[in-house]
């Protein structure tokens, strides 16, 4: 059998003698007061129940889970085949004070699964009396509450009754007054209306005679108009028949145009797929371009390192020309490779631009075709209302195509932006190439100026050696005294005061001031400085080449001649320069080997010869 049972769940906490919690579950029936079953579960009992039935919930979460199962049973109770059932099973045929099992069962087509099975004990007399006493107490409290509510409602109703009776008496009096007023008013109105009716009847008779005359005239006019309208309608009927034939022909033509448009739409879809494939290929080419750009950046970095190596190699003395030539050849080869790669990139970019232009033109054509198709479809929709369903489907397809085309246009815009970025990167690479080429040209100009100075110095050395061999006999006859300056430099020989200043010959300078080559280190730096000194005794200005490696007085002698110190390193087989005469410095064959303008260089600056050579 099936009955409704009330389930009461309480969590009891007991502190004497040990603090523990018990779960009390009670089953009752509102129709049967002697129906009472109790169950008390302690934490130890729950552990045994958990192990027996394989529960996965702790004692603290068990009451809420049990309530959730009961709510699922309540939700499923009104269905024909409920999923969750609450079974009360007893061993006896009748519920007669025997232990009962409460099972929560889930049903499915394969098996009935019991989620939970609890054993309830029937209540004894004391428990039943206690339960009945609590029920009676609740009923008495409810009765007292209801009696108070009844008394209050009776008082409210009596008050409302007295008030309504008073209002009724007042309203009845008002009604009587209104009735008397209404009767007097109606009699006056009837008298007025009778007089007005007589007057109106006379007017109506006069108007009727006039209206009959007008009606006859209008009738004649309407007959004439009716005949004319019949003739016009007949003419209109013939015209409409002709128009109907034209419309039927246009309808057939519209059907044929719709078929053609469907074929064009299929062709446009194929073109869209081809465009997507081309976009994918363009993306792949963009990835290859990115890889090539990275390679070009690596090449640029290598070029920068090569330039730095070149700057370091320029400082070497012995292998200067050979290394610079090798580096120039390498840079020329790399320049040719870079030019070829840039030409390839430019051609590739032009190809991409042509493909993008063709794609954009095709897309514009497709958009124009779609717009035309939309206009034709709108006209067909207005003329052919019977084919609404077909045209709606076509409009949906066209909208999808438009969305696809818009997506492709966005992708094309993204591709254009990426191509612009690539072009900017190519411009940056070209700028870097130009800067490297400028540096190479500057290094070439420096090399040319340095080679010119070296050749001039070699010529001077050769001339001095030849003069030394030729004037060995003349030097023995000259009675010139020499004096050493306190800074280690030879002073100018003093000549008898005759008022004429004679320059010292280079042979004399090199014979008297040759020094042994103590330092045979090739990498030791000995900068040459051209200084002008005035002699107080004979007032003649000469140029001396002073070797100042460590003396502090040479710092005040000005800058060098735009050459780095490595070009004046000392060789084992070279003749040291100590001084040159004014005639040799002012000679005309020096002019083609000296620069006339200062060339900008990151390391050194070549200044004009007039800044260092007096006169």
């Amino acid at each position: 059998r099936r009955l409704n049972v009330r389930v009461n769940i309480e969590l009891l906490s007991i502190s004497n003698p040990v603090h523990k919690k018990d779960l009390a579950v009670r089953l009752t029936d509102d129709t049967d007061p002697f129906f009472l079953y109790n169950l008390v579960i302690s934490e130890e009992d729950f552990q045994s129940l958990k192990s027996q039935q394989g529960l996965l919930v702790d004692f603290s979460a068990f009451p809420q889970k049990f309530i959730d199962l009961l709510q699922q049973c309540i939700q499923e109770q009104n269905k024909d085949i409920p999923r969750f059932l609450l079974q009360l099973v007893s061993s006896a045929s009748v519920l007669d004070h025997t232990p009962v099992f409460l099972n929560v069962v889930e049903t499915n087509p394969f098996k009935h699964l019991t989620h939970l099975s609890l054993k309830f004990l029937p209540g004894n007399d004391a428990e039943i009396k206690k339960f009945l006493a609590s029920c009676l107490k609740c009923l008495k409290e409810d009765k007292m509450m209801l009696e108070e509510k009844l008394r209050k409602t009776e008082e409210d109703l009596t008050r409302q009754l007295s008030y309504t009776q008073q209002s009724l008496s007042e309203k009845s009096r008002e009604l009587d007054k209104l009735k008397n007023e209404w009767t007097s008013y109606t009699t006056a109105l009837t008298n007025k209306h009778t007089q007005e009716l007589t007057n109106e009847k006379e007017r109506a008779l006069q108007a009727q005679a006039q209206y009959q005359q007008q009606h006859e005239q209008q009738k004649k006019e309407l007959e004439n108009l009716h005949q004319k309208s019949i003739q016009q309608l007949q003419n209109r009927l013939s015209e409409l028949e002709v128009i109907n034939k034209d419309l039927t022909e246009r309808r057939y033509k519209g059907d044929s145009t719709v078929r053609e448009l469907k074929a064009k739409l299929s062709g446009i879809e194929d073109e869209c797929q081809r465009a997507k494939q081309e976009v994918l290929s363009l993306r792949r080419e963009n990835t290859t371009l990115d890889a090539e750009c990275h390679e070009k950046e690596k090449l640029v970095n290598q070029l920068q390192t090569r330039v730095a190596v070149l700057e370091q190699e320029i400082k070497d003395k012995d292998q200067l020309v050979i290394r610079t030539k090798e580096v120039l050849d390498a840079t020329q080869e790399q320049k040719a490779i870079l030019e070829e790669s840039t030409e390839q990139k430019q051609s590739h970019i032009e190809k991409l631009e042509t493909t993008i232009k063709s794609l954009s033109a095709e897309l514009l054509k497709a958009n124009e075709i779609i717009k035309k198709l939309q206009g034709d479809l709108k006209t067909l929709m207005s003329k052919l209302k019977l084919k609404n369903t077909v045209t709606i489907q076509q409009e949906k397809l066209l909208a999808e195509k438009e969305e696809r085309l818009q997506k492709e246009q966005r992708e094309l815009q993204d591709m254009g932006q990426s191509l612009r970025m690539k072009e900017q990167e190519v411009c940056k690479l070209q700028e870097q190439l130009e800067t490297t080429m400028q540096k190479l040209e500057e290094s070439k100009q420096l090399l040319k100026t340095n080679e010119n100075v070296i050749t001039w110095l070699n010529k001077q050395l050769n001339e001095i050696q030849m003069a030394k061999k030729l004037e060995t006999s003349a030097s023995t006859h000259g009675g010139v005294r020499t004096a050493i300056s306190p800074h280690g430099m030879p002073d100018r020989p003093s000549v008898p005061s005759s008022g004429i200043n004679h320059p010292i010959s280079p042979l004399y300078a090199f014979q008297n001031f040759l020094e042994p080559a103590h330092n045979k280190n090739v990498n030791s730096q000995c900068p040459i400085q051209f200084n002008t000194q005035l002699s107080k005794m004979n007032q003649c200005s000469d140029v001396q080449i002073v070797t100042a490696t460590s003396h502090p007085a040479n710092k005040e002698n000005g800058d060098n001649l735009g050459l780095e110190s490595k070009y004046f390193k000392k060789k084992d087989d070279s003749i040291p320069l100590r001084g040159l005469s004014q005639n040799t410095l002012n000679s005309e064959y020096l002019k083609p080997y000296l620069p006339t303008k200062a060339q900008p260089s990151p390391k050194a600056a070549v200044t004009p010869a007039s800044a260092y050579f007096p006169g």
Side-chain angles (χ1 to χ4, degrees), residues 8 10-12 14 20-26 37-46 49 59 62 118-121 127:
N8 189 6
E10 293 180 357
L11 192 65
L12 305 173
I14 300 165
K20 59 181 180 178
K21 291 181 180 180
D22 292 335
L23 182 68
V25 184
R26 185 172 64 197
Y37 290 92
N38 293 319
L39 172 63
V40 179
I41 301 171
S42 63
E43 292 183 0
E44 292 83 4
D45 297 334
F46 179 76
L49 187 104
F59 181 74
F62 175 70
L118 299 173
K119 185 179 180 182
F120 285 82
L121 296 173
E127 290 175 351

Side-chain angles (χ1 to χ4, degrees), residues 431-490:
E431 288 177 358
Q432 289 178 358
L433 272 171
E434 288 175 358
T435 52
T436 51
M437 291 298 294
Q438 287 178 0
K439 289 180 180 179
L440 283 170
E441 287 176 358
E442 289 174 358
S443 62
K444 284 179 182 178
Q445 290 175 359
L446 275 173
L447 282 170
K448 286 178 181 179
T449 53
N450 293 332
E451 284 176 357
N452 291 327
V453 172
I454 288 163
T455 51
W456 179 76
L457 290 170
N458 287 324
K459 283 181 181 180
Q460 289 292 323
L461 287 170
N462 290 325
E463 288 176 359
I464 288 161
Q465 286 179 0
M466 292 295 291
K468 182 180 177 183
K469 288 177 181 178
L470 292 171
E471 294 178 359
T472 50
S473 60
S475 63
T476 55
H477 297 287
V480 180
R481 292 185 298 171
T482 61
I484 305 299
S485 68
H487 295 294
M489 291 299 296

Side-chain angles (χ1 to χ4, degrees), residues 541-553:
S541 61
D542 292 329
V543 177
Q544 294 181 352
I545 300 171
V546 182
T547 61
T549 57
S550 62
H551 202 277

Side-chain angles (χ1 to χ4, degrees), residues 26 30 105 141 204 239 274 278 326 390 393 399 417 433 457 466 472 487 491 500-501 513 560 563 572 594 599 607:
R26 185 172 64 197
D30 294 337
V105 180
E141 288 176 355
E239 289 176 359
R274 288 174 186 171
E278 288 179 357
E326 289 176 356
V390 177
Q393 289 178 359
Q417 289 179 358
L433 272 171
L457 290 170
M466 292 295 291
T472 50
H487 295 294
D491 290 328
I500 299 167
N501 294 323
F513 307 116
N560 53 11
L563 300 174
D572 294 333
L594 290 173
Q599 298 291 331
T607 56

